[in-house]
Amino acid sequence: MNFNTVKAEALHAAWLPDKEVTLNILRLDKIHAVISGNKWFKLKYYLRDAIAANKTTIATFGGAWSNHIAAVAFAAKEAGFQSVGIIRGEQPVLSDTLTNAMEWGMKLHFVSRQEYRDKSLIKQKFAQNVAYWIDEGGYGPIGVKGASEILDFVDLSDYTHIIASVGTGTMLAGLLLKTNDRQKVIGISSLKGNYSLENQIRALLPQQKAEASFQIIHDYHFGGFGKHPPRLIDFINEIHSFHQVPLDIVYTGKTLFAIKDLVQKNFFKPQSCLLMIHSGGLQGNRSLPPGTLLF
Ligand SMILES: *Cc1c(COP(=O)(O)O)cnc(C)c1O
């Protein structure tokens, strides 16, 4: 697969110089037209592992608008694998994401929300032994290893804080493998009240990693995973019209909103240099009625 090189771009927003804070955004959304953002990084070593294990089928889990499902379907096809997607929700209303996944050859199985919770039962039912299973969202040490390569695109010594969106925390753990103890990694959780995250992330980190090196902020879920009230939509439209940066409604829109709010509340000391990871996910914006976003 061919990837574009990406870089950290400065955001020149009026609310930054007031507080003597600078913000660069690492535009992983530009890395590839289909597998954008953090998903390629998380998948990379799983695919290698599957090849080493002589598997011909990749199987995984996700929702109807899942960036992970889209990325696995495409990457599996490119790498010459069959793929299987276990999709949460009985009523198969085919989203654009799932339509694409099928076009890329993924076989979809719809399971009820209740059934979806028991992943080991699902694995038994659907070809456990034949397939190489990737956990939901690519969670696990192999995903972390790939995600750590995200920071190879920047000169890390420029930054005091690295800020990223969090689902499973796999990407955040990867970022933490590269940062030093004077840098703080901040995760903005897209899920409501997911207080097991901190432990999920610790479980992926080497023991010597300082406890204070990361912080998860749980205050910017906007009502829950996938929820996108008008003030979030307005913010995303405003950022695009002022700065031409497209954000997604599930992760990066919430993260930049959080950064702005935290800057304005003096969360960051003057002279702080922030790096936000734009982790992609723009394909999910297709779940909105046309015209909701202005881009
Ligand atoms: C999947 C995804 C995340 C979450 O990554 P985790 O490693 O699960 O925390 C963040 N941002 C975007 C755009 C994503 O698609």
Side-chain angles (χ1 to χ4, degrees), residues 46-47 50 56-60 72 76 81-85 106 131-132 134:
Y46 283 114
L47 294 179
T56 55
T57 301
I58 307 276
T60 195
V72 170
F81 290 101
Q82 314 274 341
S83 67
V84 172
M106 183 176 261
Y132 181 87
I134 300 178

Side-chain angles (χ1 to χ4, degrees), residues 48-294:
R48 289 201 192 168
D49 200 35
I51 292 169
N54 280 318
K55 299 285 186 176
T56 55
T57 301
I58 307 276
T60 195
F61 309 88
W65 294 98
S66 162
N67 298 324
H68 172 70
I69 286 289
V72 170
F74 190 82
K77 175 181 81 81
E78 290 287 298
F81 290 101
Q82 314 274 341
S83 67
V84 172
I86 309 297
I87 311 300
R88 184 186 59 228
E90 302 142 89
Q91 201 52 48
V93 181
L94 266 200
S95 62
D96 295 339
T97 307
L98 297 181
T99 304
N100 288 154
M102 281 174 67
E103 286 163 2
W104 297 325
M106 183 176 261
K107 289 202 186 67
L108 304 179
H109 296 288
F110 293 86
V111 301
S112 69
R113 280 168 190 271
Q114 170 138 16
E115 227 186 314
Y116 190 81
R117 286 194 203 113
D118 192 344
K119 302 286 189 298
S120 57
L121 197 66
I122 294 176
K123 288 183 186 177
Q124 275 171 34
K125 205 164 139 189
F126 299 96
Q128 172 160 38
N129 299 321
V130 229
Y132 181 87
W133 286 90
I134 300 178
D135 276 344
E136 192 175 24
Y139 179 82
I142 296 179
V144 172
K145 182 179 175 203
S148 75
E149 295 178 5
I150 288 172
L151 289 178
D152 295 346
F153 288 95
V154 297
D155 185 350
L156 249 191
S157 63
D158 291 347
Y159 302 102
T160 56
H161 297 79
I162 314 295
I163 305 159
S165 313
V166 175
T168 65
T170 307
M171 168 170 59
L172 208 80
L175 303 176
L176 278 154
L177 291 189
K178 288 280 163 80
T179 53
N180 65 42
D181 287 346
R182 293 180 311 283
Q183 293 169 314
K184 185 125 189 184
V185 177
I186 295 177
I188 308 299
S189 176
S190 282
L191 285 87
K192 185 176 175 177
N194 182 16
Y195 301 117
S196 53
L197 249 181
E198 284 84 348
N199 278 335
Q200 256 165 255
I201 293 170
R202 270 181 215 114
L204 296 170
L205 289 173
Q207 282 213 314
Q208 72 271 22
K209 197 77 208 177
E211 210 33 37
S213 59
F214 79 97
Q215 180 180 358
I216 305 295
I217 299 184
H218 295 275
D219 303 332
Y220 298 96
H221 55 73
F222 284 83
F225 190 73
K227 296 283 193 299
H228 44 77
R231 67 193 183 100
L232 178 65
I233 299 291
D234 292 346
F235 175 75
I236 290 174
N237 278 329
E238 189 185 295
I239 290 292
H240 189 264
S241 62
F242 278 87
H243 308 289
Q244 291 75 53
V245 177
L247 297 168
D248 83 291
I249 56 173
V250 179
Y251 293 104
T252 56
K254 295 179 181 183
T255 296
L256 188 53
F257 187 100
I259 293 173
K260 178 179 179 185
D261 196 50
L262 292 168
V263 166
Q264 289 178 328
K265 288 176 173 160
N266 303 312
F267 179 92
F268 303 102
K269 289 199 193 98
Q271 315 305 329
S272 292
C273 296
L274 319 182
L275 177 69
M276 169 178 160
I277 311 299
H278 189 317
S279 41
L282 297 170
Q283 68 89 28
N285 285 351
R286 296 179 297 174
S287 68
L288 294 169
T292 310
L293 292 178
L294 308 173

